[in-house]
Amino acid sequence: MKRLTLIFAAAVIVSGCCNQTTDVMNTETDADGIPKISDFPTGESNDVYAQYFSGRSWVAPLTSNDELGVPVSNVTFEPGCRNNWHRHSGGQILIAVGGAGYYQERGKEAIRMEPGDVIEISPDIEHWHGAAPESWFSHLAIACNPQENENTWLEPVTDEEYDGVVNKTFQF
């Protein structure tokens, strides 16, 4: 009886784990084939900054009142897409809203991000973020101190760096 209970419990856990990833990959899609993974809009193709991303991404500005001084955008990454190493002179806040992704500060272990996770990035911290290889990923990007916040793009995250992060954090 104990063995049957353990097998049932393992099946429930594996089913829940696999269904979460499958749901992210099999949700309804828009006209461009991009899955709806959050309640926020996907926006337009991120062509302006495409040179700083390893794959395709989309940006949807969510705020427009400059008097408030809080620029917020939803950024969506296709599976495996990540941005280059970079830093923000005024800092940044990321809030994961759909799928799964990663955030890493230079010299530190990466963090796997899932909906509800919040990352606070102090000014001038070199970092990157992007989608997990098996999932689309969306996060809200909040520019802190926008009056003085400048973004400095650095070198791409190599495949070896990315694969090392994935291999360390993505384990069943």
Side-chain angles (χ1 to χ4, degrees), residues 102-169:
Y102 293 98
Y103 165 80
Q104 184 177 28
E105 291 181 8
R106 191 168 316 260
K108 295 188 177 180
E109 292 291 320
I111 298 168
R112 185 166 168 98
M113 295 181 68
E114 296 183 352
D117 290 341
V118 177
I119 303 289
E120 297 175 288
I121 307 163
S122 295
D124 293 316
I125 297 294
E126 292 183 5
H127 66 280
W128 66 268
H129 34 101
E134 80 286 357
S135 177
W136 287 79
F137 179 57
S138 287
H139 65 57
L140 302 184
I142 303 167
C144 303
N145 305 298
Q147 317 80 314
E148 60 194 49
N149 198 344
E150 293 183 23
N151 191 18
T152 302
W153 291 102
L154 305 167
E155 76 276 8
V157 174
T158 66
D159 289 342
E160 292 79 17
E161 288 172 311
Y162 181 76
D163 291 345
V165 164
V166 170
N167 291 336
K168 280 185 181 177
T169 60

Side-chain angles (χ1 to χ4, degrees), residues 8-68:
F8 177 75
V12 168
I13 290 169
V14 170
S15 173
C17 175
C18 295
N19 283 342
Q20 184 176 13
T21 301
T22 302
D23 289 345
V24 170
M25 299 306 290
N26 292 330
T27 58
E28 65 186 73
T29 59
D30 66 13
D32 296 321
I34 302 165
K36 178 178 172 44
I37 61 171
S38 81
D39 289 334
F40 294 98
T42 303
E44 301 297 320
S45 179
N46 191 10
D47 296 335
V48 173
Y49 294 100
Q51 64 185 331
Y52 304 115
F53 286 72
S54 68
R56 296 180 307 151
S57 64
W58 295 261
V59 176
L62 301 178
T63 57
S64 59
N65 186 340
D66 291 339
E67 292 176 337
L68 296 176

